[in-house]
Amino acid sequence: MKQEELADRLQTGNCQRKLKSNLKKKFQCVFEGIAKAGSPALLNQIYTELHITEGLTREVNQEHEVRQIETANRKPHRPETTIRQEDIFRVQHERDQPIRTVMTKGVAGIGKTVLTQKFTLDWAEDKTNQNIQFIFPFTFRELNVLKEKKFSLVELIHHFFTETKGISNFEQFQVLFIFDGLDESRLPLDFKKNPVLTDASESSSVDVLLTNLIRGKLLPSALLWITTRPAAANQIPEKFPDRVTDIRGFDDPQKEEYFRKKFRDEDQASSIISHIKTSQSLHIMCHIPVFCWITATVLEDVLKANGRGELPKTLTQMYIHFLVVQTKLRKIKYDGEPETDQHWSPGSRKIIVSLAKLAFDQLQKGNLIFYESDLTECGIDIRAASVYSGVFTQIFREERGLYQDKVFCFVHLSVQEFLAALHVHLTFINSGINLMEEQLTSCSSEVREDQSAETDIYKSAVDKALQSPDGHLDLFLRFLMGLSLQTNQRLLEGLLRQTGCCFQTNQETVQYVKKNISENLSAEKSINLFHCLNELNDRSLVEEIQQSLSSESLSAERLSPAQWSALAFILVSSEQSLDVFDLKKYSPSEEAFLRLIPVVKQSKKALLSQCNLSDRSCEPLSSVLGSSSSNLIELNLSNNNLRDSGVALLCAGLESPQCQLEILRLSACNLSGRSCHHLSSVLSSQSSSLSELDLTNNDLKDSGVNLLSIGLASPNCKLETVRSHHSSSYGFCNSEKTFKSSSDGACWSSVLETRSEELITTTAKQILDQYLQLDCLFSPSDSCRLSIDTNSVNRNLQLSDGNRKVTHVEEDQRYPDHPDRFDWCRQLLCTTGLTGRCYWEVERKGRVHVSVSYRGIRRKGDSDNCEFGYNDKSWSLFCSDGIYSVYHNNKGTSVRLNCISSSSSSSSSATSRVAVYLDHPAGTLSFYKVCSDSLIHIHTFSTTFSEPLYPGFGVGFRPGSFVSLCLV
Ligand SMILES: Nc1ncnc2c1ncn2[C@@H]1O[C@H](COP(=O)(O)OP(=O)(O)OP(=O)(O)O)[C@@H](O)[C@H]1O
């Protein structure tokens, strides 16, 4: 080796060692606001793994066409990949292209900065990624300050990392640049206009250096890692990042791990964890690490006070508590005063008021690091600032800048955002000035004390936040909304002069936020406005989200996984009851289902029928069923292509001792007898709570029923109702058979009785035989006697036979006018709205509609809104001679009956019988043709009925057609 080369190597080694050593010093302690107080937290000790996933695509700033192609190409089954921190640049498969640029997105406080620090520390400690020779971690905060200056890339490196001054060419090394906090960037980053720069020794603005690094023109061999809050990600054109990752925060075990690491005392950690679990919203909120840290601080205080005081539920409440705790600590520590409820001394009030002003002024300007001059501008004396950072150690901090000059910042950006909102609020309360108006100088801001002035603040804050291209006012807006609630203001008593944001103002703000949601916003902006509604404690938040998704103003198709989890977070943390989860109200898709699993887990009843689910959904659903925190009691999975493989997965959860499920509907799930094997084992498991099982419209065959009966015969089986539908060799042609056990002596009793006896000798076949011999199709208690609502009968329908028969006639009948009367459609309704399980039969001749309808169906005129089956309020079977079609919401399907008996009455003069079985709670409506000894299944509607259903008939086609109610 030549001497020169050797010298170079030594030089490089030296620089690397020094850089590693300095980075180790810089990052081994994580500043959690306690550094000054004496016991810095070691990053390696507190670092808890985060859930990081590879984002499928960027969802922002895309051309319309590109979006369409991308949506079409997106493979729905592509599994979500979890990435470990140290593998952020590692390709998944050998054949994948190398990764040069990674963009990591994550909401405020999710741990982006800490993640980059941990990555760098592990490298500096020689643990990971040793193929990289130099890591240069930059923050946009620091780069903003150099906005006006000129550097070459090499000079910029030397400027921040003096250790590497001996190296003038980095091309020969594997270098990684980290740029943390793109959302904080004040550089224009104009990729269209900035000139191309390829020479690392040529001087230019920091902005040009950065755009060229990202373009790959400058130092193309270097790796780049950019982190950002999601709303600001669109500053980098989509084509540049080779990988986009999302930080999803802590999952439940990681939350616990965080608190166990933070509180070394096991008892203290356990009681903090169990405290958090008592509040659903707090527990959910803790998936964001910065909230874990704030919660830890707040709860430590709550526990000291023997658990007194209400737990914070919203973000604003959390930060208010945090501020109060800090003020209390300051009072005890520095003023030496005893702990009382009066923690706001004039001194602490003054400090917080000044810091809040500083926070707002600087946030407006986009500054997150402040110099002495910034502080003086805000009226803060520099000596006072040092004192503030010394006493409010967990709010404000003093650091040494590059040249050892003093710089200040808030301990976390979210704290600055909270205090900025507090300042806007305080200013209005104290002086009536609306700081959110366009001109921000106090002399030009109008002073208005009236109520509309207060609403104006919130409206203009919403406008401003929506205008911000990088979302830098998003969190601020959430806090401002939260502070408008009186309940929250009360928590700040002593700091705030009591105010009165009245209900009216609150409602107007809510309406304004909703109006904006309905306008075509980006997903990020909509989601932030949902957060705002949550802060405003708005009760219609859940419907608002459902409406946005179903009206496509928030396109379910284009939401990223992280955006879905934000929605799930908002839904779960909203105080609204989510007892019934109806997936169709959000988006009837597997994607939506998988993303909203936390909401499913919280609900008691999950309606997932006809939602395009496959066996892919069954594994996560199974783990919900098996989880001790799941509330699910009823699950409707009917009409999804789950197949046997799905049911097998589902059964693992059903067999779990934690599973509390009582009702399971698997009608038309493409199941064969194989599913029965698994279900049977669930039924015989001791812990199973299943009392109702619907397996209709599956091809179980005799062998399946046979297998099922083994479970049914188990002494552990708690099943009371099972519905199965099978074609069998026992003579039931494609018919549905309902077996119901109840104390009134219905069909299943014999099986159940047998079950309680000595079963060891009873074979499944015997049991099967027993119940197939039972000759009843429905429980007698289900049959119901209908009577016609005479006020609804159309004048061309004649009543006879004690009002049990209606016949189409030409001459008008003399019925009085009535609002309920169908004036044009030849229809009628029955008197009673049905909500349970009901069975009825009618005799018919000619072309008739046998229907059910909500009471609200239109009665006047000839529109689709009146006619059975042509609107969303009614479901109908149209029977002609030997022809059947079913209709709902203007969609018709004709049904072919394969049974021989179906052709027996095809003559137009013949009458025939139709049976209807409504299971309102299960959401099924079945029609049958009645043969002499059996029912022939025609069609089953599977849906969710939201109102009572009224049987009705349409006899509209030819005089002489009739419908007559039968006595069953
Ligand atoms: N992996 C982790 N383990 C333990 N604590 C963490 C972790 N990540 C973050 N934290 C805690 O959360 C706080 C906020 O994290 P961080 O500053 O990295 O968030 P961020 O995503 O960069 O936020 P912002 O977008 O607001 O800048 C940290 O100060 C630390 O207390």
Side-chain angles (χ1 to χ4, degrees), residues 827-844:
Q827 294 180 174
L828 60 91
L829 283 178
C830 292
T831 45
T832 317
L834 308 173
T835 50
R837 298 191 181 102
C838 312
Y839 176 85
W840 65 94
E841 289 180 11
V842 292
E843 188 83 24
R844 59 152 272 267

PDB file of all heavy atoms in Angstrom, residues 827-844:
ATOM      1  N   GLN A 827    -101.038  -1.448  -3.725  1.00  0.00           N
ATOM      2  CA  GLN A 827    -100.290  -2.060  -2.619  1.00  0.00           C
ATOM      3  C   GLN A 827    -101.030  -1.846  -1.314  1.00  0.00           C
ATOM      4  O   GLN A 827    -101.911  -1.015  -1.211  1.00  0.00           O
ATOM      5  CB  GLN A 827     -98.914  -1.400  -2.491  1.00  0.00           C
ATOM      6  CG  GLN A 827     -98.008  -1.649  -3.659  1.00  0.00           C
ATOM      7  CD  GLN A 827     -96.644  -0.987  -3.514  1.00  0.00           C
ATOM      8  OE1 GLN A 827     -95.794  -1.208  -4.326  1.00  0.00           O
ATOM      9  NE2 GLN A 827     -96.443  -0.168  -2.503  1.00  0.00           N
ATOM     10  N   LEU A 828    -100.523  -2.549  -0.308  1.00  0.00           N
ATOM     11  CA  LEU A 828    -101.028  -2.340   1.056  1.00  0.00           C
ATOM     12  C   LEU A 828     -99.956  -2.800   2.037  1.00  0.00           C
ATOM     13  O   LEU A 828     -99.023  -3.523   1.662  1.00  0.00           O
ATOM     14  CB  LEU A 828    -102.303  -3.158   1.281  1.00  0.00           C
ATOM     15  CG  LEU A 828    -102.175  -4.673   1.126  1.00  0.00           C
ATOM     16  CD1 LEU A 828    -101.833  -5.359   2.434  1.00  0.00           C
ATOM     17  CD2 LEU A 828    -103.464  -5.235   0.582  1.00  0.00           C
ATOM     18  N   LEU A 829    -100.126  -2.388   3.275  1.00  0.00           N
ATOM     19  CA  LEU A 829     -99.224  -2.855   4.336  1.00  0.00           C
ATOM     20  C   LEU A 829    -100.048  -3.500   5.444  1.00  0.00           C
ATOM     21  O   LEU A 829    -101.253  -3.238   5.558  1.00  0.00           O
ATOM     22  CB  LEU A 829     -98.444  -1.688   4.933  1.00  0.00           C
ATOM     23  CG  LEU A 829     -97.263  -1.129   4.141  1.00  0.00           C
ATOM     24  CD1 LEU A 829     -96.652   0.044   4.889  1.00  0.00           C
ATOM     25  CD2 LEU A 829     -96.194  -2.201   3.910  1.00  0.00           C
ATOM     26  N   CYS A 830     -99.386  -4.313   6.262  1.00  0.00           N
ATOM     27  CA  CYS A 830    -100.063  -4.884   7.422  1.00  0.00           C
ATOM     28  C   CYS A 830     -99.899  -3.945   8.617  1.00  0.00           C
ATOM     29  O   CYS A 830     -99.113  -3.004   8.585  1.00  0.00           O
ATOM     30  CB  CYS A 830     -99.496  -6.268   7.731  1.00  0.00           C
ATOM     31  SG  CYS A 830     -99.928  -7.419   6.431  1.00  0.00           S
ATOM     32  N   THR A 831    -100.626  -4.263   9.671  1.00  0.00           N
ATOM     33  CA  THR A 831    -100.680  -3.305  10.784  1.00  0.00           C
ATOM     34  C   THR A 831     -99.442  -3.308  11.675  1.00  0.00           C
ATOM     35  O   THR A 831     -99.049  -2.277  12.196  1.00  0.00           O
ATOM     36  CB  THR A 831    -101.898  -3.603  11.695  1.00  0.00           C
ATOM     37  OG1 THR A 831    -101.925  -5.001  11.895  1.00  0.00           O
ATOM     38  CG2 THR A 831    -103.179  -3.095  11.109  1.00  0.00           C
ATOM     39  N   THR A 832     -98.828  -4.476  11.854  1.00  0.00           N
ATOM     40  CA  THR A 832     -97.808  -4.552  12.906  1.00  0.00           C
ATOM     41  C   THR A 832     -96.389  -4.532  12.336  1.00  0.00           C
ATOM     42  O   THR A 832     -96.083  -5.265  11.397  1.00  0.00           O
ATOM     43  CB  THR A 832     -97.998  -5.864  13.716  1.00  0.00           C
ATOM     44  OG1 THR A 832     -99.377  -6.010  13.945  1.00  0.00           O
ATOM     45  CG2 THR A 832     -97.244  -5.839  15.022  1.00  0.00           C
ATOM     46  N   GLY A 833     -95.567  -3.709  12.948  1.00  0.00           N
ATOM     47  CA  GLY A 833     -94.146  -3.679  12.582  1.00  0.00           C
ATOM     48  C   GLY A 833     -93.430  -4.812  13.296  1.00  0.00           C
ATOM     49  O   GLY A 833     -93.589  -4.997  14.506  1.00  0.00           O
ATOM     50  N   LEU A 834     -92.665  -5.593  12.548  1.00  0.00           N
ATOM     51  CA  LEU A 834     -92.024  -6.784  13.133  1.00  0.00           C
ATOM     52  C   LEU A 834     -90.565  -6.497  13.458  1.00  0.00           C
ATOM     53  O   LEU A 834     -89.848  -5.885  12.651  1.00  0.00           O
ATOM     54  CB  LEU A 834     -92.115  -7.945  12.140  1.00  0.00           C
ATOM     55  CG  LEU A 834     -93.519  -8.246  11.595  1.00  0.00           C
ATOM     56  CD1 LEU A 834     -93.452  -9.289  10.492  1.00  0.00           C
ATOM     57  CD2 LEU A 834     -94.422  -8.737  12.728  1.00  0.00           C
ATOM     58  N   THR A 835     -90.142  -6.972  14.612  1.00  0.00           N
ATOM     59  CA  THR A 835     -88.750  -6.739  14.997  1.00  0.00           C
ATOM     60  C   THR A 835     -88.030  -8.020  15.403  1.00  0.00           C
ATOM     61  O   THR A 835     -86.826  -8.023  15.609  1.00  0.00           O
ATOM     62  CB  THR A 835     -88.668  -5.775  16.199  1.00  0.00           C
ATOM     63  OG1 THR A 835     -89.556  -6.265  17.189  1.00  0.00           O
ATOM     64  CG2 THR A 835     -89.016  -4.360  15.814  1.00  0.00           C
ATOM     65  N   GLY A 836     -88.782  -9.088  15.545  1.00  0.00           N
ATOM     66  CA  GLY A 836     -88.147 -10.334  16.006  1.00  0.00           C
ATOM     67  C   GLY A 836     -88.024 -11.340  14.881  1.00  0.00           C
ATOM     68  O   GLY A 836     -87.684 -10.987  13.761  1.00  0.00           O
ATOM     69  N   ARG A 837     -88.348 -12.599  15.193  1.00  0.00           N
ATOM     70  CA  ARG A 837     -88.343 -13.644  14.167  1.00  0.00           C
ATOM     71  C   ARG A 837     -89.784 -13.990  13.853  1.00  0.00           C
ATOM     72  O   ARG A 837     -90.551 -14.299  14.771  1.00  0.00           O
ATOM     73  CB  ARG A 837     -87.647 -14.895  14.709  1.00  0.00           C
ATOM     74  CG  ARG A 837     -86.216 -14.638  15.055  1.00  0.00           C
ATOM     75  CD  ARG A 837     -85.508 -15.943  15.315  1.00  0.00           C
ATOM     76  NE  ARG A 837     -84.152 -15.632  15.665  1.00  0.00           N
ATOM     77  CZ  ARG A 837     -83.678 -15.641  16.897  1.00  0.00           C
ATOM     78  NH1 ARG A 837     -84.464 -15.993  17.902  1.00  0.00           N
ATOM     79  NH2 ARG A 837     -82.436 -15.314  17.142  1.00  0.00           N
ATOM     80  N   CYS A 838     -90.147 -13.953  12.616  1.00  0.00           N
ATOM     81  CA  CYS A 838     -91.547 -14.178  12.257  1.00  0.00           C
ATOM     82  C   CYS A 838     -91.660 -14.993  10.980  1.00  0.00           C
ATOM     83  O   CYS A 838     -90.844 -14.847  10.068  1.00  0.00           O
ATOM     84  CB  CYS A 838     -92.265 -12.862  12.003  1.00  0.00           C
ATOM     85  SG  CYS A 838     -91.963 -11.675  13.275  1.00  0.00           S
ATOM     86  N   TYR A 839     -92.695 -15.795  10.952  1.00  0.00           N
ATOM     87  CA  TYR A 839     -92.934 -16.660   9.796  1.00  0.00           C
ATOM     88  C   TYR A 839     -94.391 -16.493   9.379  1.00  0.00           C
ATOM     89  O   TYR A 839     -95.281 -16.475  10.225  1.00  0.00           O
ATOM     90  CB  TYR A 839     -92.656 -18.115  10.205  1.00  0.00           C
ATOM     91  CG  TYR A 839     -92.968 -19.121   9.132  1.00  0.00           C
ATOM     92  CD1 TYR A 839     -92.028 -19.418   8.168  1.00  0.00           C
ATOM     93  CD2 TYR A 839     -94.212 -19.764   9.093  1.00  0.00           C
ATOM     94  CE1 TYR A 839     -92.316 -20.345   7.172  1.00  0.00           C
ATOM     95  CE2 TYR A 839     -94.499 -20.687   8.099  1.00  0.00           C
ATOM     96  CZ  TYR A 839     -93.542 -20.968   7.136  1.00  0.00           C
ATOM     97  OH  TYR A 839     -93.828 -21.869   6.149  1.00  0.00           O
ATOM     98  N   TRP A 840     -94.648 -16.305   8.099  1.00  0.00           N
ATOM     99  CA  TRP A 840     -96.028 -16.260   7.611  1.00  0.00           C
ATOM    100  C   TRP A 840     -96.111 -16.849   6.205  1.00  0.00           C
ATOM    101  O   TRP A 840     -95.084 -16.969   5.526  1.00  0.00           O
ATOM    102  CB  TRP A 840     -96.610 -14.845   7.681  1.00  0.00           C
ATOM    103  CG  TRP A 840     -95.976 -13.803   6.806  1.00  0.00           C
ATOM    104  CD1 TRP A 840     -96.356 -13.416   5.566  1.00  0.00           C
ATOM    105  CD2 TRP A 840     -94.860 -12.969   7.138  1.00  0.00           C
ATOM    106  NE1 TRP A 840     -95.564 -12.426   5.091  1.00  0.00           N
ATOM    107  CE2 TRP A 840     -94.624 -12.109   6.035  1.00  0.00           C
ATOM    108  CE3 TRP A 840     -94.018 -12.856   8.247  1.00  0.00           C
ATOM    109  CZ2 TRP A 840     -93.608 -11.170   6.006  1.00  0.00           C
ATOM    110  CZ3 TRP A 840     -93.005 -11.915   8.223  1.00  0.00           C
ATOM    111  CH2 TRP A 840     -92.810 -11.085   7.117  1.00  0.00           C
ATOM    112  N   GLU A 841     -97.340 -17.236   5.854  1.00  0.00           N
ATOM    113  CA  GLU A 841     -97.547 -17.794   4.509  1.00  0.00           C
ATOM    114  C   GLU A 841     -98.708 -17.075   3.838  1.00  0.00           C
ATOM    115  O   GLU A 841     -99.637 -16.631   4.516  1.00  0.00           O
ATOM    116  CB  GLU A 841     -97.880 -19.294   4.612  1.00  0.00           C
ATOM    117  CG  GLU A 841     -96.688 -20.129   5.026  1.00  0.00           C
ATOM    118  CD  GLU A 841     -97.025 -21.627   5.131  1.00  0.00           C
ATOM    119  OE1 GLU A 841     -98.118 -22.038   4.682  1.00  0.00           O
ATOM    120  OE2 GLU A 841     -96.193 -22.366   5.673  1.00  0.00           O
ATOM    121  N   VAL A 842     -98.614 -16.959   2.526  1.00  0.00           N
ATOM    122  CA  VAL A 842     -99.745 -16.383   1.784  1.00  0.00           C
ATOM    123  C   VAL A 842    -100.077 -17.272   0.586  1.00  0.00           C
ATOM    124  O   VAL A 842     -99.195 -17.910   0.017  1.00  0.00           O
ATOM    125  CB  VAL A 842     -99.451 -14.950   1.265  1.00  0.00           C
ATOM    126  CG1 VAL A 842     -99.334 -13.965   2.392  1.00  0.00           C
ATOM    127  CG2 VAL A 842     -98.211 -14.903   0.389  1.00  0.00           C
ATOM    128  N   GLU A 843    -101.349 -17.263   0.268  1.00  0.00           N
ATOM    129  CA  GLU A 843    -101.824 -17.936  -0.948  1.00  0.00           C
ATOM    130  C   GLU A 843    -101.863 -16.851  -2.018  1.00  0.00           C
ATOM    131  O   GLU A 843    -102.259 -15.709  -1.722  1.00  0.00           O
ATOM    132  CB  GLU A 843    -103.258 -18.452  -0.666  1.00  0.00           C
ATOM    133  CG  GLU A 843    -103.856 -19.316  -1.716  1.00  0.00           C
ATOM    134  CD  GLU A 843    -103.401 -20.770  -1.574  1.00  0.00           C
ATOM    135  OE1 GLU A 843    -103.033 -21.159  -0.452  1.00  0.00           O
ATOM    136  OE2 GLU A 843    -103.395 -21.464  -2.607  1.00  0.00           O
ATOM    137  N   ARG A 844    -101.450 -17.131  -3.220  1.00  0.00           N
ATOM    138  CA  ARG A 844    -101.465 -16.083  -4.226  1.00  0.00           C
ATOM    139  C   ARG A 844    -101.956 -16.627  -5.574  1.00  0.00           C
ATOM    140  O   ARG A 844    -101.852 -17.816  -5.862  1.00  0.00           O
ATOM    141  CB  ARG A 844    -100.076 -15.479  -4.404  1.00  0.00           C
ATOM    142  CG  ARG A 844     -99.024 -16.492  -4.820  1.00  0.00           C
ATOM    143  CD  ARG A 844     -97.926 -15.861  -5.612  1.00  0.00           C
ATOM    144  NE  ARG A 844     -98.240 -15.835  -7.035  1.00  0.00           N
ATOM    145  CZ  ARG A 844     -97.859 -16.795  -7.889  1.00  0.00           C
ATOM    146  NH1 ARG A 844     -97.189 -17.859  -7.478  1.00  0.00           N
ATOM    147  NH2 ARG A 844     -98.169 -16.704  -9.163  1.00  0.00           N
TER     148      ARG A 844
END
